[in-house]
Amino acid sequence: MSIKLEDSPILSLTIESAAKSTTKGAPREGGCQTDPIKTADAPCDPMAMGETGTQTDFAAQKGDTEGDSVRLSEEVITRMLQALAEGDKSRKIYERLNTLHDTTRVHLTMMRSAPMQPPPTASIIDIVTGSGDRAVVLLGELVHETWCSHECGLRVINRRKISSILLPTCPTTAGFLERDLVAIVIVSGDDILSTSKFFSSSVSSLFVPSPGRLVAVSIDGLMKICSLRGVELQEVKSIEVTVANLPRSIRSTRSESDVRIGIVSVSGNDRELCLVSETGGIWTAPLSTLALQSLPAQPQPLAALQVPRLTEKASLFTFPFRQVLFRPPHLVLHGDDGRVHVCTASCERVDTLPSKAKKVILTPDGNLLIALSATAATPALAFYDVPKRKMIMEIETTISLLAIAAKGRDGILAVAEDAQIVEYDVTRV
């Protein structure tokens, strides 16, 4: 820093900085954040891509060198297979023994019994239950040659009171339409609730999908849906089941498609039906349209059955089915030989009850299957758990039973051989 004084009346002072100036040439331009950004591409070396590997890469890189693989002799392989087979066999044995430690049991208790006093020459056909301690016992004969001359009728049970009703011909089946109204079908095809004749031959099965609606099938190949109007039944919809509806596997190539076949049983819920024919056909149908859909699988090898030549028009199977119980997703088929098959809704057999039965029923929830033994020497009731697909137990009864029906959720109403109405309570423990 220098100070210069001039000879003038005014004193001036100049101070020079000792720092050197850094600007050369044009002055530096300043900028702010609002100025446009200038970009330019510049060459550079690309980054090397990372390598990914799997667990098999190490073995592939390592190669097949000595000590990396072990050769097993044929004797070792044979012993390993034998050990696996013995282990599988032991597992199956232990699975059977597990039933001995299962705590799921059924306790059967007789609640009460009452004499029915049927006609001396009449036989017990069936018993049908309704709501509120109501039931109907069908009396008569199932086999008829030309006309019915049997002594037949009904025993109506209403809140522990039993009354008698005489019928012109033997009843075949019945169904409760409403709380105090029951439909009874007789062998001539008439319904005692209606003045019109619905069928030309005997009605084989009835099903009530909802109060006031009735589904009826007959051995002349007809299925009809009826609706209750007052105290009479009116036909709503009907279809014919012919040979053309049978699966090709059980239908003769020479049979005519317009020949109707008999339907022996129908069951289902308020949306879908399942019906079986006397020739071995099994169908499902929506309740709204009645469009038959044949089930492809059979629960039993029907090819082993003989095909009798009934007529020149059709060659059909013998009668393999007696009853069907349909509670989706399960299907129960009662064969004419007494065997009871538990199947899926697509008719794939999953189990068969060990003993033959003359009557099978399902509880309203569809979880418990009850079968009445067909052996008169050892009367018994078999209980089967449908969802678990296993046999629970078989209980011998002190009296011989002729017919059974589900009563409420946990009850059985039965007709004994000595014409007694017996009520059982079923307790699942």
Side-chain angles (χ1 to χ4, degrees):
M1 183 178 61
S2 62
I3 300 176
K4 181 180 180 182
L5 299 177
E6 297 182 355
D7 298 333
S8 62
I10 299 174
L11 179 65
S12 63
L13 178 64
T14 302
I15 301 174
E16 295 180 359
S17 175
K20 297 182 179 180
S21 177
T22 57
T23 55
K24 296 181 180 180
R28 181 181 297 177
E29 295 182 358
C32 60
Q33 295 181 355
T34 58
D35 293 340
I37 300 176
K38 296 180 181 181
T39 59
D41 296 333
C44 62
D45 295 332
M47 182 181 296
M49 183 178 296
E51 296 183 358
T52 58
T54 61
Q55 295 179 356
T56 58
D57 292 342
F58 177 76
Q61 294 174 4
K62 192 174 181 181
D64 189 10
T65 59
E66 184 178 356
D68 294 335
S69 61
V70 178
R71 292 183 178 274
L72 299 178
S73 64
E74 189 173 336
E75 182 181 359
V76 175
I77 296 176
T78 303
R79 290 185 178 181
M80 291 176 62
L81 293 176
Q82 290 177 353
L84 291 175
E86 291 178 358
D88 185 65
K89 185 178 179 180
S90 301
R91 180 184 57 82
K92 292 181 179 179
I93 294 175
Y94 287 130
E95 286 180 354
R96 293 179 182 179
L97 293 176
N98 286 336
T99 58
L100 301 177
H101 304 281
D102 192 2
T103 57
T104 302
R105 290 290 183 269
V106 172
H107 185 66
L108 190 66
T109 305
M110 181 186 293
M111 303 300 294
R112 62 176 183 269
S113 63
M116 186 178 57
Q117 297 179 356
T121 60
S123 301
I124 305 297
I125 297 177
D126 200 2
I127 181 172
V128 180
T129 56
S131 61
D133 291 336
R134 292 170 174 82
V136 173
V137 180
L138 310 182
L139 305 174
E141 298 293 337
L142 290 176
V143 180
H144 296 78
E145 296 180 356
T146 55
W147 62 84
C148 179
S149 59
H150 304 108
E151 188 177 3
C152 52
L154 305 174
R155 293 297 181 268
V156 181
I157 304 171
N158 187 3
R159 296 177 180 177
R160 303 186 183 183
K161 295 181 180 180
I162 302 177
S163 58
S164 302
I165 297 178
L166 297 178
L167 296 178
T169 58
C170 293
T172 58
T173 183
F176 276 84
L177 292 172
E178 291 182 352
R179 185 178 179 87
D180 296 321
L181 192 62
V182 60
I184 308 295
V185 181
I186 54 180
V187 294
S188 60
D190 295 331
D191 192 296
I192 63 174
L193 286 178
S194 179
T195 57
S196 60
K197 188 171 183 177
F198 286 144
F199 299 92
S200 59
S201 60
S202 177
V203 175
S204 56
S205 180
L206 293 179
F207 173 68
V208 181
S210 59
R213 300 184 70 185
L214 182 70
V215 179
V217 294
S218 67
I219 60 175
D220 60 356
L222 291 177
M223 180 171 66
K224 297 186 178 183
I225 298 180
C226 306
S227 179
L228 185 63
R229 296 290 186 270
V231 292
E232 290 191 359
L233 290 174
Q234 296 182 359
E235 181 179 337
V236 176
K237 189 180 299 185
S238 66
I239 61 170
E240 294 183 358
V241 183
T242 64
V243 176
N245 299 118
L246 286 173
R248 176 62 67 179
S249 59
I250 62 172
R251 176 158 55 101
S252 173
T253 56
R254 298 177 54 189
S255 61
E256 296 184 1
S257 60
D258 59 345
V259 178
R260 292 193 299 190
I261 55 178
I263 308 300
V264 296
S265 181
V266 62
S267 181
N269 52 23
D270 56 353
R271 297 179 303 275
E272 191 175 10
L273 301 174
C274 180
L275 60 154
V276 295
S277 71
E278 59 186 1
T279 59
I282 309 174
W283 300 273
T284 57
L287 188 61
S288 57
T289 61
L290 294 185
L292 294 179
Q293 181 180 359
S294 178
L295 296 181
Q298 299 293 340
Q300 209 172 1
L302 299 180
L305 299 176
Q306 299 295 327
V307 183
R309 194 175 297 277
L310 299 179
T311 62
E312 295 182 357
K313 294 183 178 181
S315 297
L316 303 176
F317 284 106
T318 53
F319 314 132
F321 298 128
R322 181 186 303 175
Q323 184 186 6
V324 61
L325 299 173
F326 186 48
R327 299 290 189 277
H330 296 98
L331 176 68
V332 178
L333 292 171
H334 187 196
D336 192 65
D337 58 352
R339 293 294 182 185
V340 181
H341 308 282
V342 181
C343 312
T344 62
S346 59
C347 205
E348 296 178 1
R349 186 176 60 175
V350 297
D351 203 355
T352 300
L353 267 64
S355 58
K356 296 182 179 181
K358 60 182 177 181
K359 181 66 182 294
V360 290
I361 59 175
L362 274 174
T363 53
D365 56 6
N367 294 331
L368 188 63
L369 175 65
I370 306 173
L372 176 60
S373 174
T375 306
T378 57
L381 291 174
F383 297 88
Y384 183 88
D385 194 326
V386 178
K388 295 182 180 180
R389 300 177 180 178
K390 68 174 184 178
M391 187 74 180
I392 300 177
M393 62 185 307
E394 192 172 11
I395 302 177
E396 293 186 4
T397 57
T398 56
I399 55 178
S400 179
L401 303 178
L402 300 178
I404 58 174
K407 182 180 182 296
R409 182 181 179 273
D410 298 313
I412 300 176
L413 200 62
V415 181
E417 191 176 17
D418 57 352
Q420 294 280 331
I421 303 295
V422 185
E423 182 179 350
Y424 293 97
D425 180 70
V426 179
T427 305
R428 308 176 196 182
V429 295

